[in-house]
Amino acid sequence: MSRSTMIILKNKEISPGKLALIFSAPALFVLTVTVLIPIIYAVYLSLYRYKLKRAKKPFVGLQNYEKILTDEKFWDSLTTSLIFAVSVVGVIITVSFFLALLLDQDFPGRGWLRALLLIPWAIPDVVNALLWKWLLHPTFGVMNALFSMGGLIDEYVAWLSSMPSAMIWVVIAYSWKNIPLATLLILAGLQTVSKTLHEAAMVEGASAWQRTLNITLPLLRPTLTVVLIFETIFALKVFDLIYVLTSGGPGRSTAVLGWSIYINTFKKLDFGSGSALAMILGLITLFLAIFFYSFLDRGERQ
Amino acid sequence: MKRNKLKRYILIYLASAVFLTVFIGPFLWLVSSSFQMENQLFKVPPVWFPNPVSTESYREIFMGAIYDESYVSVYGKSSSYQARIYLRSFLNSLIIALSVSFFSVLFGAYAAYPIARMDFKGKYFLLFSILVVRLVPALALAIPIVLFAKKMGMNDRLITLIFINMSFVLPYVIWLLQAYFKTIPSELEDAGRIDGCSRFQVLNKIILPLSLPGLVTTGILAFLLSWGEFLFALLITETEKSFTSTVVAAMFATMVGDINYVTIIAAGVLAVIPPVLFALFFQKYIMSGLLSGAVKN
């Protein structure tokens, strides 16, 4: 078959752009209905006083946003979300880094360790919350038993009904589930760090700790930044864990933004202000993503 | 040198033991608790290994589903509403996760092919917007989607949840599959094209059969991603007709009063079985899938 026949065959076909559109039509349809239209409608809703119980749903412009931004409760839950996100990201990155360093070593049983670490990752968020609720039960929880056996507490503690222990345990429960994936990502990054640099430094007499600090860490910076971006964005969206573990309590001390959106919208049935709050959360996420991305970009160019 | 090596191994295994205890211990305790009698659960210090092994909690869930309200467990409490509907919700979760993985792989494969193999205007825009979808907080989408579903009478239906879950899973699937398609030699495709196959035929008869391992891996990931979904399940479902296992598990966990703790725990263990089995059996594929999905962007 000659080239000219191939060209003829090609000419008989529809253009690549049209073909791509036809091929991706089912996927694009799903994404349009479940993502694109809802986003547009959410923006629209956020400009109306839209309460389910009221018949009148007047246009109010940016009033919903104004109300939220002048409401102390919003700033409280934003602060709670930020405290949660910063703590969680700090714990996840630190532990994952050391765990990845361990898994990067060559030793019998490493494969097993890696495989077993997938278990927390595979557990659904709701079940993870249920698990920690059980571990932290005020009278029957194994944490109380362990801590009192170790002499750390004199009497059993209701961990989730007081601050700051409620926040600390929420952070631990969240990190526990999310460390495995972060570890795998960092491990993949570690495997690109060249062994020759390490060997050279070893000859120079650098200790393992010095090598980690001066060779591994700088070379791992792009990977760590990517993990930082993803973990921050995901931590700001937290909802399932809070719903089951603390319901925002005690008081409003673990009421993160996700929880506030849920309460405003689906308990108080104020869809207008709920949408505005969701838009604000979306914008914060977007700004963070752009900010981190430019940071990463600059780091790579240096 | 030999002593150094020994020291290194001791350090490594010590660290491994600590990490294993921290990351697997809580899970093992959950499994162990589910096989204990209720009065053993409340012992101080805790009973680490169930003795005797009790399957009462699981029996409550299974018998409760069969005999409905008439089943009374050995504690003299009748089985709770949650225990009775749990198996049904488990089945609902299976139906949802399996359908989501099947349809998202099917739709995703057709969307991924042009991205992997063809040049067209707007290709990068398409790829970019698919990735951006993953950043949108689900809560922002939840409000309009729940309103739509109610207006169209689509709430409390499994099909609605299948459709919604696909929106989270599809971007992932498209991304993984286009990477996989690129690994298939284009000579095979060219041969098919010269024989007069259209793009559609090439995809169906050459690319898809050759990509079977990639399709299966992606399908498993899609299953894992949709199995644990909670927010939309909570908002869309209203009756046991469509409750998913995560919704019932949350109902268990936030319930107050006279409850069988073992049953709650057993429900948690059951909900973990499908994803954990998948994760352990297919760990190599899952790891490579997760990594190629995340590292490249």
Side-chain angles (χ1 to χ4, degrees):
Chain A
M1 230 190 254
S2 66
R3 268 190 81 171
S4 56
T5 10
M6 272 180 73
I7 290 164
I8 291 166
L9 275 173
K10 264 192 184 151
N11 281 346
K12 269 198 292 185
E13 287 182 353
I14 10 175
S15 74
K18 265 187 198 157
L19 203 65
L21 201 63
I22 295 168
F23 274 17
S24 17
L28 287 179
F29 173 72
V30 173
L31 292 178
T32 307
V33 174
T34 56
V35 182
L36 193 63
I37 297 175
I39 287 181
I40 296 168
Y41 193 56
V43 175
Y44 167 88
L45 279 175
S46 74
L47 302 174
Y48 283 77
R49 180 162 298 130
Y50 198 106
K51 293 192 181 174
L52 265 204
K53 284 177 189 158
R54 294 207 187 153
K56 273 188 194 163
K57 295 172 171 81
F59 177 80
V60 293
L62 293 174
Q63 263 182 42
N64 284 328
Y65 292 91
E66 202 189 312
K67 245 188 206 158
I68 290 168
L69 292 174
T70 52
D71 186 357
E72 229 171 86
K73 273 188 184 167
F74 163 74
W75 295 102
D76 274 355
S77 42
L78 181 64
T79 316
T80 310
S81 274
L82 290 177
I83 291 171
F84 175 79
V86 169
S87 327
V88 150
V89 172
V91 172
I92 290 178
I93 293 204
T94 316
V95 178
S96 304
F97 177 67
F98 286 106
L99 191 49
L101 279 183
L102 173 69
L103 289 174
D104 196 35
Q105 307 295 315
D106 205 8
F107 62 96
R110 178 175 70 163
W112 279 95
L113 189 59
R114 254 191 238 186
L116 288 174
L117 272 178
L118 275 179
I119 289 180
W121 170 77
I123 294 178
D125 285 317
V126 170
V127 182
N128 180 37
L130 197 138
L131 162 66
W132 284 91
K133 207 170 183 177
W134 174 235
L135 295 174
L136 296 169
H137 194 283
T139 32
F140 315 123
V142 79
M143 285 300 169
N144 268 324
L146 285 176
F147 278 30
S148 69
M149 275 158 70
L152 293 168
I153 47 172
D154 294 329
E155 50 188 48
Y156 278 20
V157 180
W159 300 105
L160 295 173
S161 345
S162 61
M163 279 300 275
S165 65
M167 182 52 110
I168 292 171
W169 283 110
V170 170
V171 167
I172 291 175
Y174 184 92
S175 308
W176 184 79
K177 181 183 153 55
N178 289 283
I179 283 170
L181 182 59
T183 304
L184 287 182
L185 297 177
I186 296 175
L187 185 62
L190 272 181
Q191 281 160 355
T192 63
V193 173
S194 99
K195 294 272 185 279
T196 37
L197 267 175
H198 269 270
E199 278 156 14
M202 235 155 106
V203 174
E204 302 275 323
S207 71
W209 181 241
Q210 284 173 323
R211 276 178 280 140
T212 309
L213 212 63
N214 298 321
I215 300 174
T216 312
L217 219 47
L219 286 173
L220 211 56
R221 206 177 115 165
T223 313
L224 289 176
T225 315
V226 170
V227 176
L228 187 82
I229 298 171
F230 277 104
E231 293 300 342
T232 310
I233 290 170
F234 286 130
L236 284 175
K237 291 200 277 191
V238 67
F239 172 73
D240 300 8
L241 185 72
I242 301 288
Y243 181 94
V244 176
L245 209 51
T246 64
S247 303
R252 297 189 69 255
S253 49
T254 56
V256 290
L257 276 178
W259 178 258
S260 302
I261 297 172
Y262 172 76
I263 290 294
N264 259 325
T265 317
F266 299 105
K267 290 293 159 213
K268 296 184 184 160
L269 298 178
D270 188 346
F271 282 59
S273 104
S275 300
L277 202 51
M279 282 301 121
I280 293 173
L281 174 62
L283 284 178
I284 293 172
T285 316
L286 188 70
F287 277 127
L288 274 179
I290 294 171
F291 171 74
F292 280 137
Y293 188 79
S294 62
F295 182 73
L296 177 74
D297 214 33
R298 212 176 47 216
E300 268 180 357
R301 258 187 249 140
Q302 274 171 2
Chain B
M1 202 60 189
K2 217 178 174 186
R3 266 188 72 188
N4 252 339
K5 217 176 175 182
L6 190 71
K7 220 173 102 185
R8 183 175 163 264
Y9 272 129
I10 290 175
L11 258 175
I12 283 178
Y13 285 113
L14 216 63
S16 304
V18 170
F19 279 121
L20 263 186
T21 314
V22 170
F23 285 98
I24 310 303
F27 171 72
L28 290 181
W29 173 241
L30 191 77
V31 177
S32 164
S33 305
S34 76
F35 285 107
Q36 301 198 10
M37 300 287 283
E38 203 170 40
N39 55 1
Q40 281 180 311
L41 276 187
F42 302 154
K43 272 200 183 132
V44 181
V47 182
W48 296 112
F49 299 100
N51 180 33
V53 173
S54 155
T55 52
E56 182 52 38
S57 54
Y58 294 98
R59 225 179 319 154
E60 183 176 348
I61 288 174
F62 284 94
M63 301 299 258
I66 299 166
Y67 293 118
D68 229 27
E69 274 156 87
S70 58
Y71 180 75
V72 177
S73 74
V74 286
Y75 313 117
K77 300 170 186 168
S78 59
S79 58
S80 58
Y81 172 67
Q82 284 89 335
R84 289 199 303 277
I85 61 168
Y86 190 69
L87 272 195
R88 172 142 196 200
S89 75
F90 194 84
L91 202 66
N92 285 339
S93 283
L94 268 182
I95 294 171
I96 292 172
L98 288 174
S99 316
V100 169
S101 46
F102 177 78
F103 285 108
S104 52
V105 169
L106 182 73
F107 292 177
Y110 283 95
Y113 175 76
I115 295 173
R117 278 299 156 82
M118 288 155 57
D119 270 320
F120 56 89
K121 223 172 128 190
K123 175 170 157 176
Y124 291 97
F125 177 73
L126 185 69
L127 206 55
F128 176 73
S129 26
I130 284 169
L131 283 175
V132 167
V133 168
R134 276 178 59 192
L135 293 181
V136 181
L139 273 159
L141 302 176
I143 300 166
I145 286 179
V146 169
L147 279 179
F148 278 144
K150 284 231 165 88
K151 263 185 197 151
M152 297 192 299
M154 291 299 285
N155 49 327
D156 204 21
R157 285 194 195 187
L158 292 186
I159 188 150
T160 313
L161 281 178
I162 293 170
F163 207 72
I164 296 170
N165 276 317
M166 281 176 69
S167 73
F168 307 126
V169 175
L170 262 176
Y172 225 35
V173 167
I174 294 174
W175 192 260
L176 290 179
L177 286 181
Q178 61 95 19
Y180 197 88
F181 289 162
K182 279 185 183 155
T183 63
I184 292 169
S186 55
E187 288 80 23
L188 290 168
E189 194 174 330
D190 292 341
R193 306 262 295 144
I194 289 163
D195 286 343
C197 288
S198 68
R199 285 277 191 187
F200 190 66
Q201 287 169 320
V202 164
L203 179 56
N204 287 341
K205 290 185 177 159
I206 300 172
I207 303 283
L208 288 184
L210 284 173
S211 307
L212 204 61
L215 297 176
V216 171
T217 312
T218 315
I220 290 164
L221 264 177
F223 181 93
L224 289 172
L225 288 175
S226 53
W227 174 264
E229 202 283 323
F230 175 62
L231 177 66
F232 281 99
L234 175 74
L235 297 174
I236 296 286
T237 64
E238 283 159 13
T239 63
E240 60 259 37
K241 201 177 79 186
S242 67
F243 281 152
T244 65
S245 62
T246 49
V247 172
V248 181
M251 280 166 67
F252 264 129
T254 49
M255 179 168 67
V256 277
D258 194 22
I259 31 171
N260 287 347
Y261 279 96
V262 264
T263 315
I264 302 181
I265 295 160
V269 173
L270 287 176
V272 157
I273 290 174
V276 166
L277 281 187
F278 267 142
L280 291 182
F281 273 122
F282 300 100
Q283 49 121 342
K284 262 190 195 144
Y285 300 105
I286 289 172
M287 276 187 206
S288 61
L290 283 174
L291 295 179
S292 73
V295 170
K296 277 174 198 153
N297 57 45

